[in-house]
Amino acid sequence: MKTRLRTALPTLALDRDSGIPIYRQLYEAYRQAILAGQLRKDAQLSSTRELAIELRISRHSVMNAFDQLLAEGYIRGDPGSGTFVQAGFLGDTDLHDKGKSRCQELPGDVLSREAIRIAKAPHMPASSPPIPFRRGLPAVDKFPLALWSRIVASCCRKMRSGDLNYTEPQGSVAFRRTIAEYLRNLRAVKCEPEQVFVVSGSQQGLQLIAHTLLNEGDPVCMEDPGYPGARSAFLGVGANVLTVPIDDEGMEVNKATQLPRMPKLIYVTPSHQFPLGVTMSLGRRLSLLDWAEQSPAWVVEDDYDSEFRFVSRPLSSLQGLSPDRVIYVGTFSKAMFPSLRLGYVVLPKNLVRAFSDSRRSNDFCAPFLTQAAMNEFIVEGHFARHLRRMRVLYAERQSAMLIALRREFGNYLQISNTDTGMDLVVWLPASISDTKASHLASRAGILTMPMSFFYSTPSKRGGLFLGFGAISQNQIREGVKKLRRAIHPLLSHG
Ligand SMILES: Cc1ncc(COP(=O)(O)O)c(C=O)c1O
């Protein structure tokens, strides 16, 4: 039985200054209300026109929010009768979201403002089985696990009782020396071991940066589309996230300079823009640094996957051009494996002390044994060998992916971001909603991320972000076939 009463949300406060797009706030409010059981199965929602008038927002924003809810299976449209709460089907991002809905059931004053802001921010999927086309996963099936186990065991045997104590907040000296040398040689990062901070993955680095440098309301500038992990770290501390579009030279710095406020921090992915894959040109890098100097603003350079650039050599780091202004963030999640939880931050010298203090109040220090094993893996040459092997493997997987996409889709889809061999973007014909396509694919067991998820403003064209670094060529071929079968109805009507 359908509930005939039209349901608007009882408590919906849209915050135009939060840096979170209106359509996303609306989507999030409905999603939370459905998960919390506040909106029950089969309840009818107000029409997009009614809601737009009631909330004084554009109908386009309401439609975008509804599109996303529809694509993820929270609501359904019954032609001729309206839109209803669907429930029963939860999209693949909901494994961790169930925890969030429990948060929503707590009384309002239990959680900190930060926890609530983080719960509201868009999240990357948390746990990730390597099925087609879950993005962001390296080839864990080919990681030399036996060798790694031997190294970990041998480092453990070499430990002395003194190594069981708390270690330096920045990380072990030997490991920092190795990282500094690696970054100087490969990425032209200008640094001494004293500037290196070992962190448990770049996400902790971003959190540390946000907590050490930002206050509530501070303007932070990000790329649009951009990395949700960084966005949630900045939104968590209450920063005001301002976004700047990307063209084929990277962040459009001339547009950034017209922002209403000078930012305190600018976050960029210059060697391989996330998620479009563009490399920031040298001209743009220089204008960005010039603008950062005037603001003055810290520049955070997230160099998350430059080890696997195999089409062209990545440009040297931005940090190398301005070591006193740029904070360089890197990770071993792609080159090794994500559960290792090891990354690094290279700081301007004058920030080192403050970051050490912050780290002490966070988790004191990185685990000794993991650092020791990773250090040995690099120093003994295994890391370089592993990278060489992975580059070949990713090139093979990418080629299988491109052939399969062309065979199944012909010229229907436009392919971009093919520089690394771990993931790519396929752009859909203009009239097709990527959230719908992603939803259809997920029902067929294929995981994709709609490109609109990464934009803070509605994107002009839909696309799917597909990861294939962690799956075999056979899985790739089968996965592409399933994807075609799943989204065929959209393509044939598009
Ligand atoms: C842009 C970007 N930065 C950083 C990371 C890695 O995060 P972590 O080192 O915390 O695993 C990712 C992972 O997908 C990413 O896409």
Side-chain angles (χ1 to χ4, degrees):
M1 256 285 284
K2 286 169 188 165
T3 311
R4 284 289 156 206
L5 190 70
R6 294 202 174 186
T7 317
L9 283 177
T11 49
L12 177 60
L14 298 173
D15 180 358
R16 286 179 167 74
D17 300 324
S18 69
I20 303 175
I22 292 294
Y23 85 94
R24 197 148 256 292
Q25 293 185 40
L26 189 62
Y27 153 82
E28 202 53 57
Y30 268 106
R31 198 177 66 106
Q32 295 296 348
I34 293 169
L35 287 172
Q38 207 181 340
L39 291 182
R40 302 221 173 255
K41 187 164 171 11
D42 293 331
Q44 185 174 14
L45 306 188
S46 306
S47 74
T48 52
R49 195 187 308 274
E50 286 165 349
L51 258 180
I53 294 170
E54 191 183 327
L55 298 171
R56 295 203 198 113
I57 59 180
S58 76
R59 193 157 167 227
H60 194 59
S61 296
V62 182
M63 280 158 72
N64 267 320
F66 275 27
D67 254 3
Q68 180 110 9
L69 291 161
L70 204 66
E72 290 175 14
Y74 292 102
I75 59 174
R76 65 170 194 282
D78 287 353
S81 19
T83 308
F84 300 89
V85 174
Q86 171 76 355
F89 170 79
L90 295 181
D92 56 86
T93 52
D94 285 301
L95 286 171
H96 56 296
D97 285 346
K98 284 178 188 157
K100 253 200 272 169
S101 69
R102 281 195 296 275
C103 288
Q104 293 292 309
E105 287 160 13
L106 295 168
D109 56 354
V110 168
L111 296 178
S112 68
R113 281 199 298 276
E114 177 164 359
I116 293 167
R117 285 191 295 251
I118 288 178
K120 281 187 185 162
H123 288 263
M124 296 295 279
S127 64
S128 309
I131 61 170
F133 291 106
R134 170 76 83 184
R135 76 143 298 272
L137 288 184
V140 284
D141 55 331
K142 298 290 180 203
F143 184 75
L145 202 50
L147 168 67
W148 175 250
S149 316
R150 279 200 301 281
I151 291 174
V152 173
S154 119
C155 288
C156 195
R157 277 195 301 276
K158 282 187 242 161
M159 278 173 84
R160 300 285 162 262
S161 58
D163 297 329
L164 304 181
N165 218 328
Y166 292 104
T167 57
E168 289 209 35
Q170 276 186 254
S172 93
V173 178
F175 189 35
R176 285 192 277 125
R177 264 195 215 119
T178 304
I179 293 175
E181 192 183 327
Y182 170 75
L183 293 177
R184 279 196 301 261
N185 292 339
L186 265 98
R187 305 291 301 118
V189 171
K190 287 195 183 129
C191 68
E192 300 303 325
E194 295 68 42
Q195 291 164 264
V196 176
F197 250 79
V198 180
V199 284
S200 79
S202 37
Q203 191 60 34
Q204 190 192 34
L206 295 171
Q207 286 274 351
L208 210 54
I209 290 167
H211 277 273
T212 315
L213 298 179
L214 297 174
N215 289 311
E216 288 193 7
D218 276 346
V220 167
C221 175
M222 276 190 70
E223 301 158 324
D224 193 24
Y227 180 50
R231 179 186 281 271
S232 82
F234 302 138
L235 289 174
V237 294
N240 181 10
V241 174
L242 310 165
T243 56
V244 177
I246 300 292
D247 66 10
D248 54 11
E249 289 190 61
M251 182 184 268
E252 294 186 62
V253 180
N254 60 335
K255 293 200 174 137
T257 55
Q258 289 154 23
L259 288 173
R261 293 173 69 192
M262 290 291 224
K264 184 165 184 199
L265 188 147
I266 306 160
Y267 167 89
V268 280
T269 46
S271 27
H272 189 226
Q273 201 277 332
F274 183 97
L276 296 179
V278 178
T279 302
M280 191 186 275
S281 67
L282 184 60
R284 284 287 166 83
R285 288 172 190 236
L286 296 173
S287 353
L288 175 71
L289 292 173
D290 199 37
W291 178 51
E293 201 63 49
Q294 287 166 29
S295 286
W298 299 108
V299 177
V300 176
E301 173 178 23
D302 186 349
D303 204 15
Y304 60 104
D305 70 353
S306 50
E307 289 90 351
F308 294 117
R309 292 291 302 272
F310 51 67
V311 171
S312 55
R313 233 182 110 75
L315 283 181
S316 302
S317 68
L318 192 63
Q319 192 272 3
L321 297 173
S322 185
D324 293 332
R325 175 104 357 244
V326 179
I327 301 172
Y328 180 91
V329 181
T331 180
F332 288 109
S333 286
K334 311 282 172 201
M336 294 287 285
F337 51 93
S339 74
L340 183 67
R341 302 318 298 143
L342 265 189
Y344 40 84
V345 177
V346 178
L347 291 167
K349 289 186 176 139
N350 57 352
L351 287 180
V352 171
R353 179 64 197 271
F355 271 70
S356 286
D357 292 341
S358 264
R359 182 71 191 267
R360 269 193 214 97
S361 97
N362 185 290
D363 65 345
F364 282 105
C365 54
F368 176 87
L369 187 57
T370 320
Q371 295 183 74
M374 189 65 226
N375 190 39
E376 187 146 334
F377 198 76
I378 298 175
V379 172
E380 294 297 321
H382 303 302
F383 188 54
R385 238 185 328 275
H386 177 59
L387 288 181
R388 279 199 296 277
R389 271 204 295 266
M390 289 303 100
R391 281 191 199 110
V392 174
L393 182 83
Y394 291 140
E396 289 167 358
R397 289 184 173 178
Q398 186 191 67
S399 154
M401 182 76 179
L402 293 174
I403 291 171
L405 282 171
R406 283 192 200 111
R407 192 176 48 230
E408 298 297 329
F409 290 99
N411 293 330
Y412 255 116
L413 303 180
Q414 195 194 326
I415 303 170
S416 70
N417 192 0
T418 53
D419 263 11
T420 64
M422 290 170 104
D423 33 46
L424 50 72
V425 177
V426 292
W427 295 102
L428 301 164
S431 55
I432 292 177
S433 145
D434 55 12
T435 46
K436 263 188 204 140
S438 177
H439 176 55
L440 289 176
S442 84
R443 286 167 107 179
I446 300 294
L447 295 180
T448 62
M449 296 199 77
M451 287 298 284
S452 54
F453 176 76
F454 302 107
Y455 282 85
S456 70
T457 47
S459 49
K460 289 192 194 80
R461 190 168 175 193
L464 300 174
F465 200 9
L466 307 177
F468 54 87
I471 51 174
S472 70
Q473 294 191 32
N474 259 344
Q475 285 174 294
I476 290 174
R477 284 187 281 270
E478 282 309 304
V480 174
K481 270 190 202 150
K482 279 191 190 168
L483 179 64
R484 182 186 54 77
R485 280 200 293 270
I487 67 173
H488 183 72
L490 286 182
L491 293 178
S492 50
H493 290 112

